[in-house]
C-alpha cells in the first residue's frame, strides 16, 4: 500500500469490514468499500473543496476480497473532501457513492467550463426514525405520480421551495386532501440532466482522457442511468441525505407511501441482478422507500421478488411470468403498462373501441398480483390533451416532431388545441371526468399523473422529456373549472374508499357463490341481466354487489354510455325494499349530497358520460 501526498493530507488506514458498499461514516472515522473494474489494485483519490489538489491512496490485494476493496480511515477527513476511484483502466466515479458532488445546481451550463466530472461524497449512517412506514393494503392504494420540478415550479410556492423536496413537503396537504395514499416519484437519484456525449481520446498506452461534446438539450425527466445510490443534489440542496430523510418522514407522517421510479438502460447494469437488488435494498433500508416502479427491458424481476431483503417491498413492472408468483403469500407485484389507456380512449373517442375491452380492463385483478390503471401517463398526452389534440405537437423537442408515440387514440373535439368555445370545453371536461371515473371505479390500483386533476396541458406535446419550462411543468390555477374538477376527483376517491365492493382483493367470479341473491359482478344493458358483447356495443351497466365485500347495506352500479346519444339502462332489482339512487354523472362536476331516487327501474345516461348509482 502507498499514499501519494499531493496536498499534505496525513492519512492512516486499516483494513475495512466489507460491510456496506460506498463511503460511510463509522464510529471513529470513515470506511470505504469499493469495487475495482480490474484485479490487482485500486486507488481512492481524494480531492479538496476546489476539486484540484488531491491525495491518492493506493490499496494492494491485502485490502481486497476479489475485486472488492475495503479500507477504514480512523481519523476524521477534512470537510469538503470528495473522492473518485482509479484502477488499471483509469479514473472513474464510484457507482455505490451515497452522495454526489458536481451537480448541485440544476442545469448548470457553466459546469462544463469548470469541471464536468462528478465526485463521490461521504455518506451518513442510517438515522433514527421516529415514524414507521404506513402499511397500505393494495385495495386501498391511490397513486399520484409526480416530478419534483414539474409539481412545484408553478404551484404558487416561494422561490426557495420550487424545484426541490421542500416544495413537495409544502404541498403534501394538497395530496392528502385529494385522497392520495401513495406518491410515486420520477427519478430522485442523481442523474445528468445536461445532455451531451462523452468520448475517450487515447493518450499513450492504455491511458485515455475523457472529452465532452457541447450540450445538446436537457434530460428533464431523468430517465436513463445515473448515480443510483445518491439523492439528486439539486433536488435536495445543502444536504441530500438529510433532505431525502425529511421527505420520507413527511410523507410517512401524513400516512402516505413513498414510491420511486428507477430507469435502467445500460446492458452492464441490466445483466447484474445483484447490483439492482443492492440499489433497491439501500433505498428501502436507508430512506424507507416502500415500493419501486422499474423501467427497462429484461430486468430481473423474479430475482428481486425472491430476495429476502425485499420481501415486503412493492414492485411495479410492465410484465412477468405469472407462474413465478404462485408462491407469493401477499400481493406485492403490480403490472404497470398502458393496457387500460387505449381501450378507454378508443371507446371515448369513437375509434372502433368496444365496451367489452373496457369491461375486461375494469375487472382485471389477480390473486397474487395486481394492476395499475391510469388514463394518462407522463410518456404521452396529459389527460386534457388526449381530448384536445388529434395529433402530437412535439416541435419544441427539436426532432421535427418525429419523437413521441404516433398512436394516441386522441381527439380534439372539433378544434385543435386551446379554445374559447364553451361547447368544446364542456365536451372535453366530460371526457376527463369520465376517464377518471373509469379508473376509480375499476378493480385495479388507480393512478393519477400530476396535474390531470387540475386540467394540466403540455400544449399537445406527448413527449416533453426535455421541456424544463411551462410545457413540462404542471400548470395549476384557481379557475372555477380546475377547482370543480379537484373536488370531483376528491369525491371519486372517497366514493371508492367507502365502497370496498369496487376494490376487492381477489378476482371476481361473476357468480352468486354466497347465495345472497346476486353475483359478485354482473353486467346489464337496456334490459337487466342481459348484456351482449358485440363490437358495436359502446355502453354497459356494471353491478358490484356489496355483500361480497362485507358491505350489506349498499350495492354499486356503474353505467357507462359512450354512444353519442342518451341511452336508457335497466336497473336490476337487488332485494326487497331496495331502491336505486343516482350519486353522480360525469356530465358535470357534482356529487349529490342527497342521491336522487331513480324511480321506475330504469335510468337515462347522457351520451359520453358515466353515471354512478347506489342501491340501498
Amino acid at each position: 500500500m502507498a499514499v501519494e501526498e499531493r496536498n499534505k493530507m496525513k492519512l492512516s488506514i486499516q483494513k475495512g469490514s466489507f460491510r456496506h458498499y460506498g463511503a460511510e461514516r463509522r464510529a471513529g472515522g470513515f470506511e470505504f468499500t469499493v469495487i475495482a473494474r480490474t484485479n490487482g489494485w485500486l486507488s481512492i483519490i481524494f480531492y479538496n473543496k476546489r476539486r484540484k489538489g488531491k491525495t491518492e491512496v493506493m490499496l494492494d490485494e491485502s485490502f481486497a476480497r476479489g475485486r472488492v476493496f475495503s479500507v477504514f480511515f480512523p481519523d476524521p477527513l477534512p470537510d469538503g473532501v470528495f473522492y473518485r476511484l482509479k484502477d488499471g483502466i483509469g479514473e472513474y466515479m464510484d457507482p455505490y457513492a451515497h452522495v454526489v458532488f458536481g451537480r448541485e445546481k440544476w442545469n448548470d451550463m457553466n459546469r462544463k467550463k469548470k469541471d464536468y466530472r462528478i465526485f463521490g461524497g461521504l455518506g451518513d449512517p442510517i438515522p433514527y426514525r421516529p415514524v414507521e412506514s404506513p402499511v397500505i393494503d393494495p385495495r386501498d392504494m391511490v397513486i399520484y405520480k409526480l416530478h419534483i420540478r414539474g409539481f412545484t415550479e408553478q404551484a404558487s410556492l416561494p422561490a426557495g421551495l420550487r424545484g426541490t423536496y421542500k416544495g413537495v413537503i409544502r404541498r403534501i396537504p394538497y395530496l392528502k386532501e385529494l385522497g392520495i395514499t401513495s406518491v410515486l416519484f420520477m427519478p430522485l437519484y442523481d442523474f445528468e440532466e445536461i445532455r451531451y456525449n462523452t468520448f475517450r481520446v487515447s493518450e499513450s498506452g492504455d491511458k485515455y482522457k475523457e472529452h465532452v461534446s457541447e450540450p445538446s438539450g436537457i434530460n428533464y425527466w431523468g430517465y436513463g442511468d445515473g448515480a443510483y445510490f445518491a439523492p439528486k443534489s439539486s433536488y435536495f440542496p445543502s444536504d441530500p441525505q438529510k433532505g431525502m430523510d425529511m421527505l420520507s418522514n413527511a410523507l410517512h407522517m401524513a400516512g402516505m407511501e413513498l414510491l420511486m421510479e428507477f430507469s435502467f438502460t445500460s446492458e452492464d447494469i441490466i445483466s447484474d441482478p445483484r447490483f439492482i437488488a443492492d440499489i433497491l435494498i439501500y433505498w428501502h433500508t436507508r430512506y424507507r422507500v416502500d415500493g419501486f416502479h422499474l423501467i427497462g427491458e429484461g430486468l430481473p424481476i423474479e430475482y428481486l421478488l425472491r430476495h429476502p431483503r425485499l420481501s415486503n417491498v412493492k414492485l411495479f413492472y410492465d410484465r412477468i411470468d405469472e407462474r413465478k408468483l404462485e408462491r407469493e403469500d401477499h400481493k406485492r407485484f403490480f403490472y404497470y403498462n398502458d393496457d387500460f389507456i387505449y381501450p378507454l380512449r378508443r371507446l371515448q373517442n369513437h375509434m372502433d373501441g368496444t365496451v367489452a375491452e373496457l369491461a375486461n380492463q375494469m375487472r382485471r385483478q389477480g390473486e397474487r398480483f395486481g394492476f395499475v390503471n391510469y388514463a394518462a401517463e407522463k410518456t404521452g398526452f396529459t389527460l386534457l390533451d388526449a381530448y384536445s389534440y388529434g395529433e402530437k405537437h412535439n416541435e419544441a423537442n427539436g426532432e421535427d416532431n418525429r419523437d413521441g408515440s404516433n398512436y394516441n387514440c386522441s381527439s380534439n373535439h372539433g378544434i385543435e388545441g386551446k379554445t374559447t368555445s364553451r361547447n368544446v370545453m364542456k365536451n372535453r371536461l366530460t371526457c376527463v371526468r369520465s376517464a377518471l371515473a373509469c379508473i376509480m371505479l375499476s378493480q385495479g390500483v388507480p393512478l393519477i399523473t400530476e396535474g390531470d386533476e387540475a386540467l394540466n396541458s403540455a400544449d399537445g406535446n406527448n413527449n416533453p422529456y426535455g421541456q424544463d419550462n411551462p410545457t413540462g411543468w404542471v400548470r395549476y390555477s384557481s379557475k372555477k373549472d380546475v377547482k370543480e374538477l379537484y373536488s370531483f376527483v376528491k369525491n371519486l376517491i372517497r366514493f371508492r374508499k367507502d365502497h370496498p365492493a369496487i376494490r376487492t382483493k381477489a378476482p371476481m367470479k361473476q357468480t352468486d357463490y354466497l347465495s345472497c341473491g346476486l353475483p359478485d359482478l354482473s353486467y346489464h344493458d337496456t334490459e337487466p341481466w342481459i348484456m351482449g358483447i358485440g363490437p358495436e356495443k359502446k355502453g354497459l351497466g356494471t353491478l358490484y354487489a356489496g355483500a361480497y365485500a362485507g358491505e350489506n347495506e349498499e350495492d354499486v352500479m356503474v353505467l357507462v354510455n359512450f354512444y353519442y346519444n342518451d341511452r336508457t339502462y335497466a336497473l336490476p332489482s337487488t332485494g326487497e325494499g331496495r331502491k336505486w339512487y343516482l350519486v353522480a354523472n360525469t356530465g358535470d362536476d357534482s356529487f349529490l349530497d342527497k342521491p336522487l331516487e331513480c324511480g321506475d327501474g330504469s335510468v337515462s345516461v347522457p351520451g359520453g358520460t358515466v353515471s354512478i348509482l347506489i342501491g340501498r
Side-chain angles (χ1 to χ4, degrees):
M1 180 277 300
V3 176
E4 182 181 347
E5 297 187 27
R6 297 186 183 180
N7 68 343
K8 308 302 182 183
M9 284 177 59
K10 301 292 185 179
L11 298 174
S12 57
I13 63 175
Q14 304 169 7
K15 190 171 183 178
S17 70
F18 295 86
R19 195 161 33 185
H20 299 126
Y21 288 118
E24 196 172 80
R25 289 180 174 87
R26 250 184 61 192
F30 294 87
E31 182 166 284
F32 289 70
T33 300
V34 291
I35 301 176
R37 296 170 297 180
T38 58
N39 290 312
W41 61 274
L42 177 74
S43 285
I44 301 174
I45 303 176
F46 293 100
Y47 291 83
N48 62 18
K49 290 182 180 181
R50 292 179 293 177
R51 303 166 196 176
K52 297 295 184 182
K54 60 184 181 180
T55 298
E56 181 173 343
V57 177
M58 181 177 288
L59 306 174
D60 60 26
E61 291 181 342
S62 66
F63 289 83
R65 294 176 182 172
R67 289 188 290 110
V68 179
F69 289 75
S70 189
V71 58
F72 177 67
F73 295 87
D75 301 317
L77 295 175
D79 291 337
V81 170
F82 315 125
Y83 77 96
R84 284 171 66 86
L85 304 178
K86 180 181 176 183
D87 59 13
I89 299 175
E91 188 176 315
Y92 60 103
M93 171 69 182
D94 179 9
Y96 281 89
H98 298 171
V99 181
V100 167
F101 290 94
R103 292 197 280 245
E104 290 83 359
K105 182 179 178 181
W106 172 266
N107 195 21
D108 183 6
M109 301 303 291
N110 292 322
R111 178 160 53 86
K112 177 177 177 291
K113 299 176 182 178
K114 301 174 182 177
D115 191 342
Y116 67 87
R117 294 179 300 170
I118 58 173
F119 302 78
L122 306 177
D124 291 319
I126 298 175
Y128 167 72
R129 294 184 182 276
V131 181
E132 292 294 328
S133 298
V135 179
I136 298 178
D137 191 284
R139 289 171 290 182
D140 301 327
M141 291 173 65
V142 179
I143 302 174
Y144 191 93
K145 178 174 178 174
L146 63 83
H147 183 284
I148 274 193
R149 289 183 63 80
F151 185 63
T152 60
E153 280 290 344
Q154 289 196 340
S156 301
L157 292 170
L161 303 184
R162 296 176 192 168
T164 73
Y165 77 98
K166 294 180 180 179
V168 176
I169 292 176
R170 178 70 66 88
R171 302 209 67 218
I172 285 177
Y174 171 93
L175 299 174
K176 187 69 176 178
E177 182 184 354
L178 190 61
I180 301 303
T181 69
S182 312
V183 182
L184 172 60
F185 289 87
M186 296 174 73
L188 294 179
Y189 53 84
D190 208 287
F191 58 87
E192 178 57 83
E193 69 270 16
I194 302 175
R195 289 165 50 208
Y196 48 68
N197 297 316
T198 59
F199 56 94
R200 295 176 177 180
V201 176
S202 177
E203 291 187 325
S204 62
D206 60 353
K207 294 184 178 181
Y208 65 86
K209 186 174 183 180
E210 285 191 344
H211 293 262
V212 64
S213 68
E214 290 300 315
S216 59
I218 187 169
N219 176 20
Y220 168 59
W221 284 347
Y223 292 143
D225 296 333
Y228 289 113
F229 289 83
K232 184 155 184 58
S233 53
S234 60
Y235 291 169
F236 302 93
S238 301
D239 189 334
Q241 288 192 303
K242 182 178 179 180
M244 186 66 215
D245 285 331
M246 292 178 67
L247 176 60
S248 176
N249 288 337
L251 286 167
H252 290 156
M253 287 179 68
M256 303 165 79
E257 286 182 315
L258 168 58
L259 310 175
M260 279 181 60
E261 287 191 328
F262 277 83
S263 170
F264 301 103
T265 58
S266 166
E267 286 295 330
D268 290 340
I269 294 174
I270 292 172
S271 62
D272 186 355
R274 165 72 183 275
F275 182 60
I276 294 176
D278 286 345
I279 294 167
L280 305 190
I281 291 167
Y282 177 77
W283 283 87
H284 175 59
T285 304
R286 177 65 176 78
Y287 299 112
R288 298 287 180 87
V289 176
D290 303 293
F292 302 95
H293 175 212
L294 304 182
I295 303 170
E297 292 293 326
L299 298 184
I301 299 301
E302 291 85 359
Y303 175 84
L304 299 174
L305 285 168
R306 292 195 309 269
H307 203 295
R309 297 283 298 278
L310 297 171
S311 62
N312 62 341
V313 170
K314 294 173 180 174
L315 294 178
F316 303 79
Y317 193 54
D318 59 356
R319 69 186 77 92
I320 197 171
D321 181 350
E322 291 176 11
R323 294 172 297 180
K324 304 296 184 181
L325 300 171
E326 292 177 354
R327 295 183 180 179
E328 289 293 312
D329 57 2
H330 62 288
K331 191 175 294 185
R332 60 193 183 101
F333 175 83
F334 302 85
Y335 282 96
Y336 190 119
N337 54 44
D338 291 346
D339 285 354
F340 197 97
I341 284 183
Y342 297 109
L344 173 64
R345 287 192 191 167
R346 283 198 299 268
L347 195 58
Q348 282 189 289
N349 293 328
H350 300 272
M351 297 177 175
D352 295 325
T354 73
V355 78
E357 287 183 298
L358 180 61
N360 286 333
Q361 295 299 315
M362 292 182 70
R363 70 187 175 100
R364 62 182 184 167
Q365 185 65 287
E367 287 277 1
R368 296 177 175 84
F369 55 88
F371 295 86
V372 175
N373 296 331
Y374 47 85
E377 232 275 4
K378 293 296 288 186
T379 54
F381 279 135
T382 70
L383 190 55
L384 177 61
D385 284 359
Y387 310 109
S388 303
Y389 294 88
E391 300 174 350
K392 65 182 183 181
H393 296 268
N394 297 358
E395 291 81 5
N397 295 349
E399 300 182 43
D400 297 325
N401 206 30
R402 294 190 301 269
D403 65 305
S405 175
N406 294 314
Y407 184 71
N408 299 289
C409 299
S410 61
S411 172
N412 63 20
H413 288 266
I415 298 176
E416 187 76 356
K418 296 178 181 178
T419 181
T420 57
S421 169
R422 292 186 179 182
N423 188 53
V424 171
M425 277 306 300
K426 181 178 184 296
N427 291 335
R428 291 175 178 176
L429 289 172
T430 296
C431 286
V432 168
R433 289 189 292 266
S434 296
L436 290 168
C438 285
I439 66 169
M440 288 297 168
L441 300 173
S442 298
Q443 294 292 294
V445 176
L447 179 146
I448 299 172
T449 299
E450 61 174 3
D452 282 345
E453 82 292 353
L455 298 177
N456 180 55
S457 171
D459 303 324
N461 192 323
N462 76 348
N463 189 36
Y465 67 93
Q467 299 300 320
D468 182 31
N469 52 50
T471 296
W473 302 337
V474 179
R475 304 174 192 180
Y476 294 97
S477 79
S478 58
K479 292 181 179 179
K480 180 182 177 182
D481 285 344
V482 172
K483 290 182 177 179
E484 289 178 342
L485 181 61
Y486 179 89
S487 178
F488 180 80
V489 176
K490 180 170 68 172
N491 284 322
L492 266 177
I493 295 173
R494 184 167 59 216
F495 186 87
R496 177 183 176 86
K497 178 181 179 182
D498 291 344
H499 294 86
I502 57 178
R503 49 184 180 86
T504 60
K505 181 178 182 179
M508 290 189 163
K509 300 178 181 179
Q510 296 182 248
T511 63
D512 183 10
Y513 58 88
L514 291 182
S515 300
C516 64
L518 290 174
D520 54 0
L521 172 69
S522 56
Y523 295 114
H524 309 266
D525 200 350
T526 55
E527 294 185 31
W529 310 107
I530 299 175
M531 177 61 209
I533 56 172
E536 78 285 356
K537 291 288 185 178
K538 308 297 179 188
L540 85 163
T542 303
L543 171 58
Y544 297 109
Y548 293 87
E551 184 186 4
N552 296 314
E553 299 300 319
E554 290 187 342
D555 304 306
V556 176
M557 188 81 168
V558 180
L559 299 171
V560 173
N561 176 24
F562 289 137
Y563 291 96
Y564 284 112
N565 299 320
D566 296 359
R567 186 173 176 84
T568 299
Y569 290 88
L571 299 176
S573 174
T574 62
E576 185 176 351
R578 289 203 172 201
K579 297 180 180 180
W580 286 106
Y581 298 84
L582 177 66
V583 176
N585 175 265
T586 57
D588 61 47
D589 287 291
S590 61
F591 259 72
L592 303 177
D593 293 330
K594 294 183 178 180
L596 294 176
E597 186 177 338
C598 294
D600 63 357
S602 65
V603 65
S604 179
V605 180
T609 71
V610 177
S611 285
I612 307 170
L613 284 68
I614 54 174
R616 59 164 68 130

